[in-house]
Every structure is written in structure tokens, then in C-alpha cells.
Amino acid sequence: MHRLKFIALLAGLLLTAAAHAQQVQVIKLPELQKRLARPTDTTYVVNFWATWCGPCVKELPHFDKLTTTYKNQKVKVLLVSMDYASQLDKKVKPFVAKNALKSEVVLLNETDPNLYLAKIDPKWTGSLPFTLLLNNARRKRLTFEQEFTAEELQKQLQAFMQ
Amino acid sequence: MKKLLPFLASLLVLAFSSFIMLRPVAEAGYQVGDKAADFKLKNVDGKLMSLADNKAAKGYIVVFTCNTCPYAKAYEQRIIDLNTKYAPQGYPVVAINPNDPATVPGDSFAEMQKRAREKKYTFPYLQDETQQVARQYGATRTPHLYVLTRQGADFVVSYIGAIDDNSEDAKLVKTKYLENAMTELVAGKPASVSSTKAIGCTIKWKKA
């Protein structure tokens, strides 16, 4: 009997997790470029990460939190997973569900970084994590090839939006 | 003449300020064509190694790599194969681990020795304990490759970047960036594609 209750509880938990689970859209470079080129007065916080990247996983909650903190402002957090597309169901989706990420997550499905890195940003040498702050209407753009603490990220974003 | 003087002065200021602006670029590491400084780093066999040690080398394939990064692991066999192919042609591989073991215990010297033994590395695997060499080269990630060619008494950076265009699956590689460059360099010609980009793990720098 106890066992049944436990199974029911477990099933319930899993269902709740599934209901909260974010969609992870798999996109190619032109789609990402299109999104990064929208001429709106919205500040985009774009974080390139991967489930296998230790520093990325550590800083990801700081980025995701911005979606809640800046809910009433024109700020959009986009988390771009650089995991292999073959790892979507095995690694990326479980990660997104487990961490209950509230921001939009996409997976960039491209194989040759030599062809796409410079098209995302010429300054990006290829290490992860990588972060872009951009506002196309105000023609502002900043890049960071580094790991962030929550405070540093807040500070940079606030300065960027002023 | 009176008008010319301020003009000349402003030119001087301009020249000087552009000089200052160029400095950070130089500090960001080597570009293709730069002379590479020699180093003295500890190999997994306990001995110190320098580029000058191997008098027969026509150059080196220097790769910043590590034990722990999934991308470095994905390329490990391909790095071993590069040494098998290019050491006999005078361009041996030299692997350098720049990661701070205090941040990543899996990259300690003992773990490096273990990895080199287990995977039967046929090339030196050096620890960049002060991270000086990685900074000097401008390496940002693992793996990050630099091909050096001997020109007189110097080693000149002749290729920087990626091994190929598919990290996940060596069998699906279409363009072997490094090997294409090597074919030209071995023939004494400059590489037509001398700089490429790749994804990798950020080097774990020591906390300041």
C-alpha cells in the first residue's frame, strides 16, 4: 500500500515537472541571426552555454533569474545551448526541466564553429560561456567571454540599460 | 607655418593614441606571423621541456588541452593521430595543460601523468603551472592549437585555431582545417587558411 502511494506521488511529481518543462527549440544559424537582429527597443541578454560546461551551469541561474527580476521591463533572456543536437533529449531537456528554467531556451544546431562563431559575434574566440547584451533600437552591443557572478551580471545589465 | 604646427601636433597625438589603442591587441596573444617565445615546462615524465630541445624539429603542433573538458576529450584521439602523422615529417605535437588544478582537480599533475599513461600519449604533455605560456600565446580554450614553423633560429606562429569542422564525430568531418594548413606548411608554403575558430572549454585561470 505504501509502495502504491509512493508510486502515485512519484508519478505526480514527474507530471508536474513535465508541465513546467520548457520547450527547447532547435534552431539553425539564420534563425538565431534573425532573432538577434530584431530592431526593437528590447534589451536582449543572450547567454551561450552547454550542459557539459561547468562555469556555464554555475552561472546559468543568475541569467534565468533576470527573467523574473525584469519581468516588467523590456528585457528578454535567451539561453542558447551549444550542446550537440543529439543530446537534446538525453541532456538538454532534462537539464532545463530539473532547473525549472523560466527563460527561453534554444539549441543551436550547427557543426562547424569556424563558420558560425564570427557570424554571431566577431569577437567571440569560441570559449564558453559567452554572453551578449544587445539593444538594436539603441544600437548598443556588449560581449563578454567570461563567467559572471550574480552581482557582476546585475551591474553590467543595469549600466547597459541606462 | 603657424597653421601647420597645430596640424602636425594633432597628427602626433593621433599617431600616439593609435599606438596606445594597439597595445591591448598585442597583449591578447599571438597572431599568425608572430615569433613564438620558447618556454620551459614540466613534462609528465618529470623533465623540463623547451622548444629548443629538439634540434631536428622543423616546427611543432602546440595544443592547449586538458584532461577534463569534453571537447578536449572528443579531440584526444585526433591529437594522438596528428602526432603519428606529423612527427615523422618533423612537426611533433606538444600538448600543454594550462588549467589551474586548484579549480579543476582533474587537471592536477598526477592526473595528467595518469591520463598520458592510460592513453599512451606519444608526445610531451606539459603543465603550464603559472599559466604564463597560455597567456603569452593568447589561448582562451581547450583545445586551442598553434602550429609553429622553424625560421632560422626562431619559431614562427603559422596557424592558429581548430583541428576540423566536426567535434562530435570524426567520421563526419568535411574540412580538416589543421591538416590542410599542414600540407602547405610542410611544403614550405604559408597556410592559405591560417586562422580558424572552434568551440571549447574556457581555460580555468587562477583566481587573482
Side-chain angles (χ1 to χ4, degrees):
Chain A
M1 194 58 204
H2 275 297
R3 207 163 155 192
L4 257 176
K5 257 189 204 161
F6 177 70
I7 288 170
L9 189 73
L10 201 69
L13 272 175
L14 282 174
L15 276 176
T16 333
H20 281 282
Q22 273 271 2
Q23 289 285 330
V24 179
Q25 204 191 337
V26 178
I27 62 171
K28 301 292 279 184
L29 179 68
E31 169 68 19
L32 180 66
Q33 284 178 301
K34 211 167 77 190
R35 283 178 181 234
L36 299 184
R38 276 182 195 150
T40 54
D41 186 15
T42 295
T43 296
Y44 275 78
V45 181
V46 190
N47 178 249
F48 295 84
W49 66 286
T51 58
W52 51 260
C53 162
C56 306
V57 169
K58 208 172 116 198
E59 69 170 7
L60 207 61
H62 312 325
F63 283 90
D64 193 44
K65 208 174 152 216
L66 299 177
T67 292
T68 315
T69 322
Y70 288 85
K71 200 166 59 190
N72 300 320
Q73 291 177 63
K74 282 193 257 173
V75 173
K76 155 101 180 154
V77 177
L78 181 63
L79 307 174
V80 184
S81 159
M82 305 294 281
D83 287 88
Y84 299 132
S86 62
Q87 303 299 307
L88 178 69
D89 290 328
K90 224 187 306 173
K91 293 269 172 68
V92 184
K93 280 182 177 171
F95 181 91
V96 170
K98 191 177 143 221
N99 291 279
L101 297 181
K102 291 177 185 67
S103 317
E104 182 178 1
V105 184
V106 295
L107 185 146
L108 181 66
N109 181 21
E110 294 286 350
T111 51
D112 186 0
N114 187 48
L115 298 182
Y116 70 74
L117 281 176
K119 288 178 186 162
I120 294 171
D121 196 286
K123 287 205 230 51
W124 189 4
T125 73
S127 71
L128 290 178
F130 180 76
T131 299
L132 261 178
L133 298 182
L134 68 103
N135 184 309
N136 291 326
R138 299 184 195 192
R139 293 167 192 267
K140 283 174 86 175
R141 186 184 182 97
L142 276 182
T143 59
F144 304 88
E145 196 158 352
Q146 60 165 78
E147 185 188 335
F148 274 108
T149 62
E151 296 77 42
E152 278 169 344
L153 181 60
Q154 279 276 2
K155 215 172 86 188
Q156 287 292 349
L157 180 59
Q158 236 138 46
F160 184 85
M161 288 175 68
Q162 265 161 23
Chain B
M1 189 63 195
K2 261 185 190 165
K3 270 183 194 161
L4 204 62
L5 216 66
F7 174 68
L8 282 176
S10 59
L11 251 184
L12 206 71
V13 169
L14 202 74
F16 192 66
S17 58
S18 63
F19 170 74
I20 291 172
M21 273 159 65
L22 279 174
R23 277 190 62 95
V25 179
E27 280 168 11
Y30 291 147
Q31 307 290 318
V32 169
D34 285 352
K35 246 189 271 175
D38 205 346
F39 47 73
K40 212 179 210 53
L41 296 176
K42 192 162 71 167
N43 189 12
V44 283
D45 67 3
K47 292 181 191 139
L48 290 171
M49 191 210 138
S50 295
L51 295 175
D53 293 348
N54 184 346
K55 301 275 184 282
K58 295 175 186 164
Y60 290 98
I61 300 172
V62 175
V63 50
F64 292 90
T65 188
C66 68
N67 286 359
T68 49
C69 168
Y71 268 64
K73 286 188 210 164
Y75 273 114
E76 186 178 40
Q77 188 55 48
R78 281 175 261 187
I79 291 166
I80 295 170
D81 294 343
L82 283 174
N83 191 57
T84 309
K85 182 166 179 183
Y86 291 107
Q89 300 183 50
Y91 297 83
V93 165
V94 176
I96 301 177
N97 187 333
N99 278 351
D100 173 27
T103 313
V104 203
D107 281 316
S108 69
F109 190 67
E111 290 297 329
M112 284 174 59
Q113 290 178 309
K114 206 170 130 199
R115 187 87 191 173
R117 211 167 37 235
E118 279 171 8
K119 298 285 171 174
K120 301 191 175 64
Y121 284 4
T122 52
F123 46 82
Y125 188 22
L126 314 174
Q127 185 181 39
D128 185 10
E129 215 177 337
T130 62
Q131 306 187 314
Q132 178 83 35
V133 179
R135 288 203 190 276
Q136 198 164 25
Y137 274 67
T140 58
R141 58 174 192 271
T142 55
H144 200 155
L145 280 88
Y146 294 76
V147 177
L148 313 180
T149 52
R150 192 192 287 275
Q151 291 177 23
D154 298 319
F155 286 102
V156 174
V157 178
S158 302
Y159 173 86
I160 302 176
I163 295 179
D164 57 42
D165 65 357
N166 194 312
S167 54
E168 185 178 20
D169 192 344
K171 290 191 284 295
L172 296 178
V173 166
K174 289 195 203 81
T175 311
K176 293 184 173 182
Y177 293 117
L178 182 91
E179 294 203 26
N180 292 349
M182 284 306 293
T183 305
E184 293 172 306
L185 293 173
V186 168
K189 289 183 282 196
S192 38
V193 178
S194 59
S195 188
T196 56
K197 289 186 172 186
I199 289 285
C201 304
T202 179
I203 289 175
K204 308 302 182 291
W205 302 107
K206 287 177 200 283
K207 303 271 185 294

